[in-house]
């Protein structure tokens, strides 16, 4: 490949020596072979080859440098941006101003202009020297790097053959590349942040699920430990299934409410199961049959009146198979004071209760409704109220509601509860004491406030006895005992049919008969009312029993007669309109 071309100025040629940093070709001037002749010296006025004294002798011109290149050095160019004007001395062609060469020494001092290194005589530019450029090309200043310029007109010559190894490719920065990179980084960082946020969210959800599972497991475990899981009996207590019902620790006292105004009693057992942390008030119907010290069959109501606290407590232990630790006799005036000491009670009442001190038609003392606040007087009236025709169990359940309300308002502190009991001023029967009763009530109060206290009615059959099926849930599970009703073989079985027209008379007759030591059998209600009552016996051996039944019910001796009696009864009674019930 021919890397030379002739620009057409005096036969000088330029040789391609390489490419600058912008990929532009760089040429080096090659002097043409010609006869030496006097060259135009634009610097003759400065004494270079000039006779300043007109002696006629030409001073020898200073060489361009210590190495003769064979031609007169070209005038330096100072990059004025235009061609210098033509000299007045015409040589026959327009001299071409050479490009600026920092290695050129115009004053012959031996130091190149600009303080750069000398020019290499072998045609290679010295270190730091500017590469020679083609004619008409603007000189490049090293201190201010910029793109190299090429001649306006490409050099004439044969078609050039370029190879890729002749080009120096420079990766030029793109102004938009930085923005693209920043955008990519931003997108990547945002994606990473989203992924990290998702991972953190998943971790939180997993942690929350684990925590909820642990809490649920702990709650179920606690309920199982405390014996509060629905569907589980009290045997599934916190002491574990291995603790039998009979082995659980219980504290039991009996409470007898004496109605000093109208007469009669109401009985309940207060039970504190310290093993299961459960409290219970067990309501005992007055018709519950007991066996007295003489071995005779009696009822709970008759036992309280005749045998007193100690005898009744022992009889209850025998029938229920439990261990009662003491008796709390609570007369109605003391109940009224107790309710006022705890600050009244709030219960759900099931009926209106009239004020006993006012006439009929006036506003009731207690109104039916939810969360009714009862004073001491109202609490006593509600606890002892029994409407016409109601069974005794209805009144007994109201008494249980009042006891529940008192326990919820009682202090859970043993000392404070003891002070409340002492403030009542009543005499506590041994072996129970003020301190023991106060501590016991404080324990039950704590359970009642926490929802761990309930009320249960002891199921009793019509003859006052207990059946294994109906009483197992109370006697066995709550009291931990076994039902042992007294033998009814020796008791006279009395069947009662109500022909008075008053529904409540059956219940009243039942109570009276049970209190008299008879076994009561329900005979139903007659289709039509009868004026006179009848007491019948079928076996002459039961004539005296029939006479005793008539006296117990307040009927005349003329009512006793021989007649048809049911197969399961010894004496049959038909109550007529002449029957006047007595208070139980």
């Amino acid at each position: 490949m021919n890397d030379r071309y002739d620009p057409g100025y005096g036969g000088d040629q330029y040789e391609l020596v390489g490419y600058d940093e912008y990929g532009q070709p760089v040429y080096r001037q090659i002097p043409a072979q010609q006869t030496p002749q006097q060259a135009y010296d634009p610097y003759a006025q400065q004494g270079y080859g000039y006779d300043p004294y007109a002696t006629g002798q030409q001073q020898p011109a200073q060489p361009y440098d210590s190495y003769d290149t064979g031609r007169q050095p070209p005038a330096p160019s100072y990059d004025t941006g235009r061609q210098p004007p033509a000299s007045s001395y015409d040589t026959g062609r327009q001299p071409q101003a050479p490009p600026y060469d920092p290695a050129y020494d115009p004053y012959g001092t031996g130091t190149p202009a600009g303080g750069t290194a000398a020019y290499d005589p072998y045609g290679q530019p010295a270190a730091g020297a500017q590469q020679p450029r083609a004619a008409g090309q603007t000189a490049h200043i090293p201190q201010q790097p910029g793109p190299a310029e090429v001649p306006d007109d490409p050099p004439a010559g044969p078609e050039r053959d370029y190879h890729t190894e002749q080009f120096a490719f420079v990766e030029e920065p793109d102004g938009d590349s930085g923005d693209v990179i920043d955008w990519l980084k931003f997108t990547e960082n945002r994606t990473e942040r989203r992924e990290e946020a998702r991972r953190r969210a998943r971790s939180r959800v997993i942690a929350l699920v684990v925590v909820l599972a642990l809490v649920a497991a702990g709650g179920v475990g606690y309920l199982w430990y405390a014996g509060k899981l629905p569907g589980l009996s009290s045997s599934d207590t916190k002491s574990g299934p291995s603790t039998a019902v009979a082995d659980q620790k219980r504290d039991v006292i009996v409470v007898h409410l004496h109605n000093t105004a109208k007469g009669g009693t109401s009985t309940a057992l207060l039970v504190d199961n310290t093993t299961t942390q459960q409290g219970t008030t067990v309501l005992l119907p007055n018709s519950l049959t007991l066996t007295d010290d003489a071995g005779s069959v009696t009822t709970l109501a008759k036992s309280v009146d005749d045998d007193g606290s100690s005898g009744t407590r022992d009889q209850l232990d025998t029938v229920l198979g439990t261990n009662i630790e003491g008796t709390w006799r609570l007369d109605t005036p003391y109940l009224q004071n107790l309710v006022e000491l705890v600050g009244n009670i709030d219960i759900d009442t099931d009926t209106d209760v009239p004020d006993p001190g006012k006439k009929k038609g006036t506003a009731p003392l207690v109104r039916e409704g939810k969360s009714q606040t009862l004073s001491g007087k109202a609490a006593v009236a509600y606890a002892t109220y029994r409407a016409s025709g109601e069974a005794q169990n209805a009144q007994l359940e109201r008494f249980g509601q009042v006891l529940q309300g008192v326990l919820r308002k009682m202090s859970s502190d043993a000392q404070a509860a003891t002070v409340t009991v002492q403030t009542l001023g009543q005499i506590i029967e041994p072996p129970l004491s003020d301190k023991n009763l106060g501590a016991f009530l404080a324990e039950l109060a704590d359970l009642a406030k926490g929802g761990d206290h309930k009320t249960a009615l002891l199921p009793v059959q019509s003859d006052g006895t207990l059946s294994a099926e109906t009483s197992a849930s109370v006697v066995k599970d709550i009291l931990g005992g076994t039902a042992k009703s007294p033998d009814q073989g020796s008791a006279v079985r009395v069947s009662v049919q109500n022909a008075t027209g008053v529904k409540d008379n059956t219940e009243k007759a039942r109570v009276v008969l049970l209190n008299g030591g008879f076994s009561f059998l329900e005979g139903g209600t007659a289709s039509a009312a009868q004026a006179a009552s009848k007491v019948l016996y079928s076996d002459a051996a039961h004539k005296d029993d029939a006479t005793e039944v008539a006296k117990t019910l307040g009927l005349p001796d003329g009512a006793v007669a021989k007649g048809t009696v049911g197969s399961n009864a010894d004496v049959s009674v038909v109550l007529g309109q002449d029957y006047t019930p007595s208070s139980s």
Side-chain angles (χ1 to χ4, degrees), residues 334 337-338 341 415-426 434:
Y334 290 114
N337 294 337
L338 179 61
L341 283 174
Q415 184 175 0
T418 301
V419 172
T420 301
V421 172
Q422 293 173 346
T423 306
L424 291 176
Q426 68 176 131
D434 295 344

Side-chain angles (χ1 to χ4, degrees), residues 373-385:
T373 300
L374 304 184
S375 63
K377 180 181 178 181
V380 171
Y382 185 78
T384 58
Y385 179 72

Side-chain angles (χ1 to χ4, degrees), residues 132-149:
R133 304 178 184 274
Q137 185 178 8
T138 303
H140 177 67
I141 301 175
Q143 292 82 355
Q144 300 178 355
E149 298 182 1

Side-chain angles (χ1 to χ4, degrees), residues 102-432:
Y104 172 66
D105 183 7
Y107 300 101
T109 60
T111 302
T116 58
Y119 180 75
D120 187 359
Y122 298 100
Q124 298 296 333
Q130 178 68 28
Q131 296 289 348
R133 304 178 184 274
Q137 185 178 8
T138 303
H140 177 67
I141 301 175
Q143 292 82 355
Q144 300 178 355
E149 298 182 1
V150 296
D152 297 333
D153 298 327
E159 183 179 357
R160 307 190 64 84
D161 185 12
Y162 296 99
H163 298 279
T164 56
E165 62 270 10
Q166 295 175 336
F167 296 90
F169 295 95
V170 178
E171 182 178 358
E172 298 181 0
D174 189 355
D176 296 336
S177 62
D179 296 338
V180 174
I181 293 174
D182 293 341
W183 171 254
L184 292 177
K185 289 182 178 179
F186 170 75
T187 304
E188 181 179 3
N189 292 338
R190 185 172 63 176
T191 303
E192 291 178 353
R193 288 194 299 269
R194 288 178 177 175
E195 292 296 330
E196 182 64 23
R198 293 191 185 99
R199 286 193 293 269
R200 288 196 299 266
R202 286 193 295 267
S203 300
R204 293 192 187 100
V205 171
I206 293 174
L208 179 61
V209 171
V210 172
V211 170
L212 292 178
L214 293 176
V215 171
V220 173
Y222 170 76
L223 293 176
W224 173 83
Y225 182 76
K228 300 178 182 179
L229 283 178
L232 296 181
S233 65
S234 60
S235 61
D236 297 328
T237 64
K238 67 179 183 179
S239 59
S242 59
T243 303
V245 175
D247 296 335
Q248 297 171 7
K249 179 67 173 61
R250 299 174 180 84
D251 296 327
V252 183
I253 67 171
V254 59
V255 181
H256 297 300
L257 176 65
H258 290 259
N259 189 346
T260 59
K262 297 180 178 180
T265 59
S266 302
T267 304
L269 297 178
L270 297 179
V271 183
D272 178 17
N273 191 323
T274 59
T275 303
T276 62
Q277 294 296 314
Q278 293 287 323
T280 308
T281 298
V282 180
L283 304 176
L284 305 181
N286 283 337
S287 60
L288 176 65
T289 56
L290 303 176
T291 302
D292 59 14
D293 296 337
S296 300
V297 177
T298 186
T299 61
L300 175 60
K302 187 174 181 62
S303 176
V304 173
D305 292 336
D306 296 343
D307 300 329
S309 300
S310 177
T312 303
R313 182 171 65 247
D314 294 338
Q315 294 170 21
L316 288 174
D317 284 341
T318 301
V319 172
L320 302 177
T322 186
N323 181 23
I324 300 174
E325 300 173 3
T327 301
W328 182 19
R329 174 172 175 149
L330 185 63
D331 294 346
T332 49
Y334 290 114
L335 175 60
Q336 179 175 339
N337 294 337
L338 179 61
V339 172
E340 293 176 352
L341 283 174
V342 299
N344 299 335
I345 61 175
D346 298 319
I347 60 175
D348 298 336
T349 58
D350 60 357
T351 186
D352 291 341
V353 178
D355 191 341
K358 296 182 179 181
K359 296 181 180 180
K360 293 182 179 180
T362 59
L365 179 61
V366 178
R367 292 188 177 278
E368 178 184 0
K370 297 286 186 180
S371 299
Q372 296 294 313
T373 300
L374 304 184
S375 63
K377 180 181 178 181
V380 171
Y382 185 78
T384 58
Y385 179 72
R386 179 180 175 185
S388 176
E390 281 188 333
Q392 192 261 336
N393 289 346
Q395 174 268 321
L396 189 61
E397 290 178 348
R398 297 187 184 103
F399 173 50
Q401 286 182 278
V402 172
L403 286 178
Q404 180 87 349
V406 170
L407 291 176
R408 284 198 298 262
K409 296 298 290 290
M410 180 75 69
S411 174
S412 299
D413 180 70
Q415 184 175 0
T418 301
V419 172
T420 301
V421 172
Q422 293 173 346
T423 306
L424 291 176
Q426 68 176 131
I427 298 176
I428 305 300
E429 299 181 12
L432 198 62

Side-chain angles (χ1 to χ4, degrees), residues 10-21:
D12 292 341
Q13 294 184 351
Y14 291 85
E15 180 181 7
L16 178 66
V17 296
Y19 297 88
D20 59 10
E21 60 272 28

